[in-house]
Amino acid sequence: MVAFRKMHGLGNDFIVVDNRDGKLKLSDEQIKLMSHRRLGIGCDQFIILEPAQNSDADVFMRIHNPDASESGACGNATRCVASLIIAETGQSEIIIETLRGLLPSKEVGDGLYSVNMGGALLDWQNIPLSRDIDTTKLPIEVDGAATPFAVGMGNPHCVFFVDDADKINLEKVGPEAEHHPLFPERTNVEFVSKKSDGSLRMRVWERSAGITMACGSGACAVGVAAFESGFTDNRKMDIELDGGVLTIEYLENGDVIMTGPVATSFISDFDLDEAA
């Protein structure tokens, strides 16, 4: 039996498993099974909590996509885990360690949690791309959307600025961009338009997961791309996703602060033997 907690940030949902005692050994096939929405529990990302490797951190968060591949970043999951560790320790601020690095996190009131997601990666090798190229205007076009901006947030992102994000056939064009040869590790894909009040509207296709209601690292990438490209003059912006609003602040030192809500859907356990 595997004890788990089902959580989400704006509908971007996760299976969270606590393995800080090191007793649980999950294979890729078992992670795929639990992540499957018909055969298992279902999630956008599978999160495993492990002992911190860095003495400054409170916990290590390992992130798996539904196909069991690992990802270096997941903003909404980081906020979810932050809420758990803050409640557990009684501390107002904690540090979550990921493959991306150390992510300072805190509770800011009204059910909101804020995470410093670190600096954006704008060099082609670090995003990563398959070759040296202008990362601000990639030679990619899908269904009329063209010249996206590439950003790395510990995972790769491809940001298209369009007139109306809601008119994009995301199910069709998302996979095309995800698997473009310029992205050797595939990519998350965001389509962004500007609302009348100056806030941004974003829709996302996540690599391996498909259309999701929200993507925290994607919103961070959009904030960086929007400011660096001149799409917005604001370093702090509200970004409306299908599941709700995230506030992104792109600091002058290059760090990106993401703030938003978290929720627990339910707590249960999963019998791998019965499901196999």
Side-chain angles (χ1 to χ4, degrees):
M1 300 290 281
V2 180
F4 70 91
R5 181 184 297 257
K6 183 71 181 290
M7 304 187 74
H8 73 88
L10 301 180
N12 188 196
D13 64 334
F14 317 104
I15 297 169
V16 182
V17 173
D18 190 346
N19 194 33
R20 283 177 286 179
D21 61 9
K23 294 180 179 179
L24 189 62
K25 306 296 181 184
L26 289 174
S27 68
D28 285 356
E29 290 306 314
Q30 289 171 328
I31 290 173
K32 291 179 185 178
L33 174 61
M34 292 180 69
S35 302
H36 198 287
R37 294 197 181 275
R38 293 188 181 275
L39 304 179
I41 303 158
C43 65
D44 292 327
Q45 275 81 34
F46 190 101
I47 308 301
I48 302 176
L49 305 186
E50 300 175 1
Q53 301 172 16
N54 188 298
S55 60
D56 292 330
D58 294 275
V59 68
F60 184 92
M61 181 179 84
R62 192 171 299 280
I63 306 160
H64 290 274
N65 295 313
D67 64 1
S69 62
E70 281 199 67
S71 178
C74 181
N76 286 318
T78 305
R79 291 201 322 281
C80 287
V81 170
S83 72
L84 295 179
I85 303 303
I86 287 171
E88 176 182 284
T89 63
Q91 300 169 195
S92 59
E93 299 186 24
I94 54 102
I95 295 178
I96 297 174
E97 184 181 8
T98 69
L99 295 178
R100 161 77 162 152
L102 300 181
L103 308 180
S105 309
K106 62 183 179 180
E107 185 176 8
V108 294
D110 296 326
L112 301 176
Y113 292 82
S114 183
V115 177
N116 185 333
M117 293 291 290
L121 305 173
L122 300 176
D123 180 80
W124 73 273
Q125 292 173 306
N126 293 327
I127 291 170
L129 299 177
S130 58
R131 58 187 172 92
D132 188 355
I133 195 171
D134 182 357
T135 62
T136 68
K137 294 180 180 179
L138 299 182
I140 299 176
E141 181 174 349
V142 289
D143 200 27
T147 59
F149 195 117
V151 180
M153 288 300 307
N155 52 2
H157 294 271
C158 179
V159 181
F160 290 88
F161 295 105
V162 297
D163 291 334
D164 188 346
D166 287 305
K167 291 184 178 179
I168 296 295
N169 184 349
L170 198 54
E171 191 169 10
K172 174 180 180 295
V173 302
E176 295 178 17
E178 177 191 356
H179 294 276
H180 194 279
L182 273 175
F183 291 93
E185 298 178 5
R186 295 179 293 150
T187 186
N188 300 283
V189 190
E190 291 84 22
F191 293 88
V192 187
S193 54
K194 191 178 296 183
K195 300 179 65 179
S196 59
D197 62 1
S199 65
L200 303 182
R201 171 72 172 119
M202 163 186 156
R203 298 178 64 217
V204 59
W205 174 275
E206 291 196 55
R207 60 176 177 174
S208 152
I211 297 173
T212 60
M213 294 181 68
C215 177
S217 62
C220 292
V222 164
V224 172
F227 182 81
E228 292 290 351
S229 67
F231 191 73
T232 180
D233 296 328
N234 301 318
R235 284 189 173 270
K236 187 174 183 178
M237 62 203 82
D238 288 336
I239 299 180
E240 178 192 329
L241 302 100
D242 287 351
V245 175
L246 288 174
T247 299
I248 302 298
E249 186 172 7
Y250 180 33
L251 303 181
E252 291 189 6
N253 69 0
D255 285 358
V256 186
I257 309 297
M258 174 195 56
T259 303
V262 304
T264 294
S265 302
F266 57 91
I267 301 170
S268 187
D269 50 44
F270 189 82
D271 190 331
L272 289 166
D273 293 330
E274 288 291 329

